[in-house]
Amino acid sequence: MVRLREEDVASLNVRELEAQEYSTEQYDRYDGDIPPAGTELTGYVKRMYWTRSAEKQDGTGNDPMLKILWVAAENEGDLAEFDGCPFWLNAALIAGAKFRWAPFLDNFGISLRAIKARKVDVEDKEDQNGAPIISIDGFHPGEDHDEAWCRIISDQEPYNGIMQARVGTWLPWDVEDEEGELNGDEPYEEDEPYEDEPEPEPEPEPEPPARGRRGTARKAPEGPARPTGARSRTATAGRSPKPAATGTGARKASSAPAPSRRGRRAAASSDEPPF
């Protein structure tokens, strides 16, 4: 019998390891296929973590980072098979990774200045993913929060030789398309009054809908039914998806009641990639 050498355990920090918290939270297992790149899906930001990127041998890294779990949910037709698919995003808040974090923050109206001002509430104890975020600049992750729901255009990315689901484009839940339609509704056209009839008294504007669990935000309009089935979209097939706005103020105005400040709208598990 041979004992371990001292150098075998020299880097073992018992105090640090004993003090480390961890989570036993289990996500529903997803055994389905990952969606093809260019597929439009609905879902929500399930969890967010405040953490840091891994420190590299050259001394770089250890940068502030958002770790985000988005889950596909409540899709219709053929796309329902992707419900539960997890999409992980590791977004280090550095200039070189702006292409990762800027589209996410812009889509949900989260400000870097608010993060810098520490308008971020986290749980008391960290786990292996970091400090779970309760709210960040007024945004709350989780299925029960309207602002956590949105649409995406999916993408894929290889990791250890296996393709992983990634978010290619973030889209708000409610967006006006190029024809001026909102969520598939026919554009509103005001009828001209008959010449021999007095103009009707203008009706008072309806109260904006209560900010509930999406309400009728994506309810199909009366008339010809909107096709369900597979709605996989690419830039060269069918109508190009409307790109995500570059800021919350960049969305088009609409005569319909304005949606909530952030887009409106179960769960999944996967071996999420390292930082």
Side-chain angles (χ1 to χ4, degrees):
M1 181 177 64
V2 179
R3 287 196 172 188
L4 292 176
R5 297 169 299 176
E6 184 176 350
E7 53 266 32
D8 292 333
V9 295
S11 62
L12 189 65
N13 189 326
V14 175
R15 180 176 299 178
E16 178 183 356
L17 294 176
E18 288 180 342
Q20 176 64 45
E21 298 288 342
Y22 66 95
S23 173
T24 57
E25 178 180 6
Q26 297 293 322
Y27 301 121
D28 292 341
R29 186 176 181 84
Y30 178 77
D31 295 320
D33 297 328
I34 65 173
T39 304
E40 180 181 331
L41 296 170
T42 61
Y44 63 98
V45 177
K46 181 179 178 66
R47 295 287 268 170
M48 290 180 66
Y49 301 89
W50 180 261
T51 184
R52 287 186 172 272
S53 60
E55 189 172 358
K56 301 178 182 178
Q57 292 183 351
D58 60 3
T60 61
N62 197 34
D63 299 300
M65 186 174 79
L66 293 174
K67 191 177 189 70
I68 300 154
L69 172 60
W70 187 89
V71 176
E74 297 195 6
N75 289 278
E76 300 174 352
D78 294 342
L79 298 181
E81 66 177 290
F82 301 121
D83 283 355
C85 182
F87 292 71
W88 285 94
L89 171 64
N90 293 322
L93 298 179
I94 57 175
K98 187 172 183 177
F99 69 99
R100 291 189 181 275
W101 52 260
F104 174 84
L105 297 184
D106 288 343
N107 189 63
F108 292 102
I110 301 172
S111 165
L112 279 176
R113 293 183 180 273
I115 297 176
K116 180 67 175 180
R118 297 181 293 112
K119 294 182 179 179
V120 182
D121 295 326
V122 299
E123 295 183 8
D124 294 337
K125 297 181 179 180
E126 297 187 6
D127 60 26
Q128 63 270 25
N129 291 314
I133 292 176
I134 300 171
S135 69
I136 176 169
D137 192 16
F139 172 86
H140 300 79
E143 181 179 6
D144 296 333
H145 296 283
D146 289 345
E147 67 264 30
W149 288 80
C150 73
R151 299 177 299 126
I152 68 160
I153 304 297
S154 69
D155 202 352
Q156 298 181 358
E157 188 176 277
Y159 173 70
N160 286 345
I162 301 175
M163 297 303 292
Q164 303 284 333
R166 294 289 181 266
V167 175
T169 305
W170 295 95
L171 297 172
W173 182 253
D174 294 320
V175 350
E176 191 177 19
D177 68 18
E178 289 123 9
E179 284 77 25
E181 300 176 0
L182 183 64
N183 293 327
D185 294 340
E186 293 297 326
Y188 174 74
E189 296 180 3
E190 185 177 358
D191 294 331
E192 295 184 2
Y194 292 108
E195 293 182 1
D196 57 345
E197 293 183 3
E199 286 194 30
E201 290 291 332
E203 296 183 3
E205 294 186 3
E207 293 292 331
R211 190 171 174 274
R213 173 83 159 67
R214 291 166 298 138
T216 57
R218 287 185 64 87
K219 184 178 180 181
E222 295 181 3
R226 189 178 184 183
T228 53
R231 292 179 290 149
S232 178
R233 301 182 182 178
T234 62
T236 58
R239 184 191 305 167
S240 299
K242 185 176 182 65
T246 57
T248 55
R251 301 176 189 169
K252 295 182 180 178
S254 170
S255 59
S260 55
R261 183 167 72 94
R262 304 178 178 91
R264 304 186 205 171
R265 266 286 305 169
S269 174
S270 176
D271 293 334
E272 39 102 1
F275 297 150

